[in-house]
Amino acid sequence: MALDLTLLTTKADCDEALAGLAAELETYQHRNDNLDYAAGQADRSLGDVTARLAGVQAEIDSYTAMLNVPNMPASLKKQTESRLRRAHDRKDNLSERTQARTGSPAFLAAVDAEQVAAQVATLTGAQQAVATRKAALPK
């Protein structure tokens, strides 16, 4: 859709349009900053979760190896099995957290970021067109 710059008939109209575009652009730039911040937080959080997953997997491996020890006392075996179950539960919970940053939520976040970028480009182009129109108008 082309912008109908003929609607702006005076420099004051142009100034008003430029002020409105600047305010709208500022809104989208803040939104873009927030998306960048959220992405950074998610990356840091994902790194933390990945490290914790590795630690839990090491626990699971250790408990599994312990359960293979022959002649383990029954009380120690029961305690190790319980710890192994809890470690598996922690692993499942952490895995769910990493999945929240993939699939549909990650796709929708990318769509949101693209939408903001497109809107910023549209607003910036409109500002340039209005500024050009203003310069062409008589004093």
Side-chain angles (χ1 to χ4, degrees):
M1 174 191 245
L3 299 174
D4 185 3
L5 295 171
T6 61
L7 296 171
L8 303 173
T9 58
T10 66
K11 289 188 183 271
D13 289 342
C14 292
D15 288 339
E16 188 177 336
L18 285 170
L21 289 168
E24 187 76 9
L25 185 58
E26 185 178 3
T27 298
Y28 278 97
Q29 287 172 332
H30 283 297
R31 189 167 172 205
N32 195 35
D33 291 343
N34 288 337
L35 288 171
D36 288 345
Y37 175 78
Q41 289 293 94
D43 288 345
R44 282 186 289 282
S45 180
L46 183 58
D48 177 57
V49 170
T50 301
R52 290 172 58 194
L53 267 171
V56 169
Q57 185 59 53
E59 282 183 55
I60 289 170
D61 294 344
S62 172
Y63 296 143
T64 302
M66 283 178 62
L67 289 172
N68 290 326
V69 171
N71 302 322
M72 179 184 286
S75 62
L76 182 56
K77 183 175 181 175
K78 184 176 180 179
Q79 186 180 41
T80 303
E81 287 171 340
S82 177
R83 288 179 179 167
L84 180 60
R85 276 192 308 278
R86 286 194 306 270
H88 275 290
D89 287 343
R90 284 198 321 276
K91 181 180 176 185
D92 290 344
N93 290 337
L94 288 168
S95 294
E96 287 174 10
R97 288 179 64 188
T98 61
Q99 290 170 359
R101 291 174 179 82
T102 60
S104 180
F107 173 77
L108 293 175
V111 168
D112 195 29
E114 188 173 321
Q115 176 187 10
V116 169
Q119 191 66 28
V120 167
T122 298
L123 291 167
T124 302
Q127 279 181 319
Q128 292 168 348
V130 171
T132 301
R133 171 72 174 167
K134 180 180 176 183
L137 290 172
K139 293 186 180 201

